[in-house]
Amino acid sequence: MKKLLATAALALAAHLPASAALLVGQSTAGASLATDFSTDGLVAFDLDLNDAQAVRLDFQLGTADVGGALDLNAVLRNLTGAGIERLLIGLSIGSFEQAGSVTRPFGGGGTSVGLAGGSASLSFDSVEYLDVFIGNPFGGAGLSDWRIDTRGLNAGDVLAITIAVPEPGAVALVLSALLALGAVRTRRGRR
Amino acid sequence: MHDDDTPPLPARRQLLKGGSAAIAAAFAGPITAMASRVAEASCAAATASVLLDSPYGAPAPVNDLTTGLPLIELPPGFSYKSTGWRGDLMSDGLVTPPNHDGMGVALQRRVGRSTEIVLVRNHERSNGGNAADILGASLAHVAKYDTGRTATGITGYQLGGTTNLVFRDGAWTESFASFGGTNRNCAGGVSTWGSWLTNEEVRSNTVSSTGRRHGYVFEVPADTSLTAANPEPIIGMGRMAHEASAIDPATGYWYLTEDQGNANTLYRFLPSNVSGGLNSLHAGGRLQGLKVRGIHNADLRMPTLCQEFGIEWVDIDNPDLDGATLSSVVGNVSASGPFIQAYARGAAIFGANEGCWVANGIVWFTDKQVTTSPARAGRVWALDLATDTLKAIFVSNDITVGNSPDNLVVSPRGGVLFCEDGGSGGPNSGAPVTQQRLMVVHPNGGSYVFARNNFNFTAAQLAAVGKSSASAGNHRNSEWCGACFSPDGRVLFVNLQGPGLTVAITGPWARGTL
């Protein structure tokens, strides 16, 4: 059973949207917790991964976020006690236009990134026990945020971003579950 | 006069007052469980600890993420980054001093989205002939205790002190001098308000040309840009060859160890101001020594595994009394003023106490090997503060099992880790010792190897990775020191004293007991 960690209801969708994205809901079967740092044209969050349960974050898009491109960055802190070999990131609406930087401060090897529409798959050459930085959350030199194509989306649409840590060998299954978890589209979905 | 009238306990105190971020422990499961299990070590059919296989797997050389050199050996899956090598240029323009020693995480805070950890690291330098070598000499904002010379005993200028290191979002970002003018800053301990106590390990009655004595404890803030270190010593904690100091967050009391061979006990300091905060300890307090209940001057140098003793505390009237030769039950020994007084009131005798840590109402401390008779390889003690029961939870009579336990740390998950500082001497039933190790005390009273010192490089190898100022040669048998964990338990910070460098280690902690 999914555990709702929402601090603001989706009823906010009924009101005039702000110019920046807003985290309006979090849901997970585990105990992971996200903090929103979004600004105009940027979806940004920190996620403390306390377990391997998938996490869904609902962002209500603002006027500055739609009709073109929306940047994405995130700080993922691995507090699970176990290593992470892969990460899957899913979008309920829009699609990945461009993969940005992926930084692992203790990553001895590289990261392979695969994009397919609204799904991104990250595979680490070495198991990650500490943190993963998606994009450029700290404004460092030489790093770039990821980019989401938001053409056809409207202010007020809810973008659900799902983060999943698949078990080794379970990528295909998790991808299906990811799509199911994040596949709920609002009535104002992409035209 | 015996002092059983322990003052009433203050209300439970809050961790990390003074602007520091709250500590959050990672990993599911009870934090106290492991520590409690170690304190209740299994003792069946054993008078001493044995060496066990590591649940993490056997350590092997691993390349440093910073230099690419295999500086240390770690179990499978672990990685590390070095920093702060002897000779490296620091952020303040000074050169990193040598003789890295005790260290602690004094502060963790969020700066925007970044997680910043500030460590304070000791440099165990004694004295030299050049005033310019005083740590921070050229920087007026770096506090210094003694810029004078000593002419007898510990001669010369005092070259010890501390540097601070910043670890932000998994990267080493900054280092700077924070305190100088002290002698042999060995170990110390972190406060709960964002500072580090740095302790001089010297038993001396010498007075310098500026009227300063040595053998004291000093306080260094994590952020010296806000507040410089207090150059005055915490006299109430005594003048002796200090080792570690550890605070019990529940009471505000400090527990101190003294590294004075066959002439030391465990000490307790009850601050006059138990509210804590920078400079609060300078207000003084009450210093006491540990005594075994019902036994005058109990000799605790050779316990059996899990042997227990009820304890009490005896007052020390003058923490700043000069040391002298003491005729004790174990022979004539060089003793500090505090120990002379504690001994007169029945204090117990240990070999040479070193590391100290308080977690979950238990004081953990080590007694390292002293190679003179009787020969022994080291002990780890656990003092249960609720019952005033002292227990030998690790007893090594063979250096392959544990070789002079020095600095000690209890991880946020309750695992007990100690740094070896023993060299090759001592009772040994196995192969000659050529590497010092990081050892873990298992809940069953045994030990296992977590890591080994692998530093053995030529000047050319070091120059090739930009470390021309580093100390080349074989340092594999030099001590580990300053072990401490990040508050979330994901990173272990530790120093190699011989070459003089600091590493941050992370990996699959959940596979074992740390």
Side-chain angles (χ1 to χ4, degrees), chain B residues 483-499:
Chain B
C484 53
F485 280 88
S486 61
D488 63 14
R490 299 189 299 158
V491 182
L492 169 66
F493 304 101
V494 63
N495 296 322
L496 296 181
Q497 185 173 88

Side-chain angles (χ1 to χ4, degrees), chain A residues 45-46 73 77-78 81 105 131, chain B residues 27 81 113-114 490 510-511:
Chain A
F45 59 90
D46 290 2
N73 69 51
R77 295 191 180 91
N78 180 7
D131 301 332
Chain B
F27 300 75
K81 289 184 178 180
R113 294 171 73 183
S114 289
R490 299 189 299 158
R511 283 189 198 155

Side-chain angles (χ1 to χ4, degrees), chain B residues 231-320:
Chain B
E232 297 305 316
I234 301 169
I235 293 178
M237 285 186 162
R239 176 160 53 95
M240 64 180 82
H242 282 281
E243 269 291 339
S245 39
I247 187 172
D248 177 11
T251 60
Y253 300 165
W254 289 79
Y255 295 86
L256 305 141
T257 50
E258 178 184 18
D259 186 5
Q260 190 71 30
N262 299 326
N264 69 98
T265 189
L266 181 71
Y267 298 90
R268 179 173 78 169
F269 178 69
L270 291 67
S272 299
N273 179 359
V274 290
S275 298
L278 278 176
N279 303 317
S280 63
L281 299 174
H282 292 77
R286 188 171 167 187
L287 186 65
Q288 301 175 316
L290 180 146
K291 174 184 178 292
V292 173
R293 201 176 300 127
I295 303 176
H296 203 83
N297 300 134
D299 183 351
L300 298 184
R301 298 175 300 164
M302 294 291 287
T304 53
L305 183 62
C306 296
Q307 192 171 5
E308 289 187 344
F309 305 89
I311 68 100
E312 57 193 9
W313 299 96
V314 295
D315 273 355
I316 295 164
D317 295 333
N318 182 0
D320 205 19

Side-chain angles (χ1 to χ4, degrees), chain A residues 37 44-46 73-75 77-79 81 105-106 108 129-131 133 137-138, chain B residues 27 65 77 79 81 110 113-115 167 169-170 490-491 504 506-508 510-511:
Chain A
F37 291 95
F45 59 90
D46 290 2
N73 69 51
V75 174
R77 295 191 180 91
N78 180 7
L79 304 177
F106 271 72
Y129 294 99
L130 202 64
D131 301 332
F133 307 141
F138 307 115
Chain B
F27 300 75
L65 291 173
S79 59
K81 289 184 178 180
R110 284 286 169 92
R113 294 171 73 183
S114 289
T115 300
F167 186 76
D169 303 319
R490 299 189 299 158
V491 182
T506 192
R511 283 189 198 155

